Short mmCIF file of all heavy atoms in Angstrom, two decimals:
data_model
loop_
_atom_site.label_atom_id
_atom_site.label_comp_id
_atom_site.label_asym_id
_atom_site.label_seq_id
_atom_site.Cartn_x
_atom_site.Cartn_y
_atom_site.Cartn_z
N ASP H 26 16.55 -16.82 30.35
CA ASP H 26 17.73 -16.03 30.01
C ASP H 26 17.28 -14.78 29.26
O ASP H 26 16.89 -14.87 28.10
CB ASP H 26 18.70 -16.84 29.16
CG ASP H 26 19.97 -16.09 28.82
OD1 ASP H 26 19.99 -14.85 28.92
OD2 ASP H 26 20.95 -16.74 28.43
N PRO H 27 17.26 -13.59 29.90
CA PRO H 27 16.74 -12.41 29.21
C PRO H 27 17.55 -11.99 28.00
O PRO H 27 16.98 -11.46 27.04
CB PRO H 27 16.74 -11.33 30.30
CG PRO H 27 17.66 -11.83 31.35
CD PRO H 27 17.64 -13.31 31.28
N THR H 28 18.85 -12.23 28.03
CA THR H 28 19.65 -11.87 26.86
C THR H 28 19.30 -12.76 25.66
O THR H 28 19.13 -12.25 24.54
CB THR H 28 21.16 -11.99 27.18
OG1 THR H 28 21.47 -11.09 28.26
CG2 THR H 28 22.00 -11.67 25.98
N ALA H 29 19.20 -14.05 25.89
CA ALA H 29 18.85 -14.97 24.80
C ALA H 29 17.46 -14.64 24.25
O ALA H 29 17.22 -14.66 23.03
CB ALA H 29 18.90 -16.40 25.27
N ARG H 30 16.54 -14.29 25.15
CA ARG H 30 15.18 -13.99 24.70
C ARG H 30 15.14 -12.66 23.93
O ARG H 30 14.42 -12.55 22.93
CB ARG H 30 14.23 -13.98 25.88
CG ARG H 30 13.84 -15.40 26.33
CD ARG H 30 12.49 -15.42 27.00
NE ARG H 30 11.90 -16.75 26.97
CZ ARG H 30 10.62 -17.02 27.19
NH1 ARG H 30 9.78 -16.03 27.47
NH2 ARG H 30 10.15 -18.26 27.14
N PHE H 31 15.90 -11.68 24.40
CA PHE H 31 15.99 -10.43 23.66
C PHE H 31 16.56 -10.66 22.26
O PHE H 31 16.04 -10.19 21.25
CB PHE H 31 16.84 -9.41 24.40
CG PHE H 31 17.39 -8.31 23.55
CD1 PHE H 31 16.55 -7.47 22.86
CD2 PHE H 31 18.77 -8.14 23.41
CE1 PHE H 31 17.05 -6.43 22.05
CE2 PHE H 31 19.29 -7.14 22.61
CZ PHE H 31 18.42 -6.28 21.94
N GLU H 32 17.64 -11.41 22.20
CA GLU H 32 18.28 -11.66 20.90
C GLU H 32 17.34 -12.40 19.96
O GLU H 32 17.31 -12.14 18.75
CB GLU H 32 19.58 -12.44 21.10
CG GLU H 32 20.66 -11.60 21.76
CD GLU H 32 21.91 -12.42 22.10
OE1 GLU H 32 21.84 -13.66 22.05
OE2 GLU H 32 22.96 -11.79 22.42
N ALA H 33 16.52 -13.31 20.50
CA ALA H 33 15.56 -14.03 19.67
C ALA H 33 14.48 -13.11 19.11
O ALA H 33 14.15 -13.15 17.92
CB ALA H 33 14.91 -15.16 20.49
N ALA H 34 13.93 -12.23 19.97
CA ALA H 34 12.89 -11.30 19.50
C ALA H 34 13.46 -10.28 18.54
O ALA H 34 12.86 -9.98 17.50
CB ALA H 34 12.25 -10.62 20.70
N TYR H 35 14.61 -9.73 18.89
CA TYR H 35 15.27 -8.73 18.02
C TYR H 35 15.60 -9.35 16.66
O TYR H 35 15.34 -8.75 15.61
CB TYR H 35 16.51 -8.25 18.73
CG TYR H 35 17.45 -7.36 17.96
CD1 TYR H 35 17.11 -6.05 17.64
CD2 TYR H 35 18.71 -7.84 17.55
CE1 TYR H 35 17.99 -5.25 16.93
CE2 TYR H 35 19.60 -7.03 16.87
CZ TYR H 35 19.23 -5.74 16.55
OH TYR H 35 20.10 -4.93 15.86
N GLY H 36 16.17 -10.57 16.69
CA GLY H 36 16.52 -11.22 15.43
C GLY H 36 15.32 -11.56 14.58
O GLY H 36 15.34 -11.38 13.35
N ALA H 37 14.24 -12.03 15.20
CA ALA H 37 13.05 -12.37 14.44
C ALA H 37 12.42 -11.12 13.85
O ALA H 37 11.96 -11.15 12.67
CB ALA H 37 12.04 -13.08 15.38
N ALA H 38 12.39 -10.04 14.59
CA ALA H 38 11.80 -8.80 14.09
C ALA H 38 12.59 -8.27 12.88
O ALA H 38 11.99 -7.88 11.87
CB ALA H 38 11.73 -7.77 15.19
N LEU H 39 13.90 -8.27 12.98
CA LEU H 39 14.71 -7.78 11.88
C LEU H 39 14.63 -8.70 10.67
O LEU H 39 14.63 -8.24 9.52
CB LEU H 39 16.18 -7.64 12.31
CG LEU H 39 16.55 -6.43 13.16
CD1 LEU H 39 18.05 -6.39 13.40
CD2 LEU H 39 16.07 -5.13 12.52
N ALA H 40 14.58 -10.02 10.91
CA ALA H 40 14.50 -10.97 9.79
C ALA H 40 13.25 -10.76 8.96
O ALA H 40 13.28 -10.85 7.72
CB ALA H 40 14.55 -12.40 10.34
N ASP H 41 12.13 -10.46 9.65
CA ASP H 41 10.86 -10.31 8.92
C ASP H 41 10.56 -8.85 8.54
O ASP H 41 9.77 -8.63 7.61
CB ASP H 41 9.70 -10.84 9.77
CG ASP H 41 9.72 -12.37 9.88
OD1 ASP H 41 10.36 -13.01 9.02
OD2 ASP H 41 9.07 -12.90 10.78
N HIS H 42 11.18 -7.91 9.21
CA HIS H 42 10.81 -6.50 8.99
C HIS H 42 12.05 -5.59 8.99
O HIS H 42 12.06 -4.51 9.57
CB HIS H 42 9.82 -6.04 10.08
CG HIS H 42 8.63 -6.95 10.22
ND1 HIS H 42 7.63 -7.02 9.28
CD2 HIS H 42 8.31 -7.87 11.17
CE1 HIS H 42 6.72 -7.90 9.64
NE2 HIS H 42 7.14 -8.46 10.79
N GLY H 43 13.07 -6.08 8.31
CA GLY H 43 14.30 -5.31 8.22
C GLY H 43 14.16 -4.03 7.43
O GLY H 43 15.05 -3.18 7.44
N ASP H 44 13.00 -3.87 6.74
CA ASP H 44 12.72 -2.66 6.01
C ASP H 44 11.95 -1.63 6.83
O ASP H 44 11.47 -0.62 6.29
CB ASP H 44 11.94 -2.97 4.73
CG ASP H 44 10.61 -3.69 5.04
OD1 ASP H 44 10.45 -4.23 6.14
OD2 ASP H 44 9.74 -3.71 4.13
N ALA H 45 11.81 -1.87 8.12
CA ALA H 45 11.10 -0.92 9.00
C ALA H 45 11.82 0.41 9.03
O ALA H 45 13.02 0.52 8.76
CB ALA H 45 10.97 -1.49 10.41
N ALA H 46 11.06 1.45 9.38
CA ALA H 46 11.63 2.80 9.43
C ALA H 46 12.43 3.04 10.68
O ALA H 46 13.29 3.93 10.70
CB ALA H 46 10.51 3.84 9.31
N ALA H 47 12.14 2.30 11.76
CA ALA H 47 12.86 2.52 13.03
C ALA H 47 12.56 1.36 13.98
O ALA H 47 11.63 0.59 13.80
CB ALA H 47 12.43 3.84 13.65
N LEU H 48 13.39 1.29 15.02
CA LEU H 48 13.21 0.37 16.14
C LEU H 48 13.08 1.22 17.40
O LEU H 48 13.95 2.04 17.70
CB LEU H 48 14.43 -0.54 16.24
CG LEU H 48 14.58 -1.33 17.56
CD1 LEU H 48 13.41 -2.33 17.74
CD2 LEU H 48 15.91 -2.09 17.59
N VAL H 49 11.97 1.02 18.13
CA VAL H 49 11.77 1.69 19.40
C VAL H 49 11.86 0.65 20.50
O VAL H 49 11.24 -0.41 20.43
CB VAL H 49 10.38 2.38 19.47
CG1 VAL H 49 10.16 3.04 20.82
CG2 VAL H 49 10.23 3.40 18.33
#
Side-chain angles (χ1 to χ4, degrees):
D26 182 341
T28 299
R30 282 207 158 195
F31 159 60
E32 291 174 347
Y35 172 72
L39 283 184
D41 288 342
H42 308 289
D44 58 341
L48 165 64
V49 179

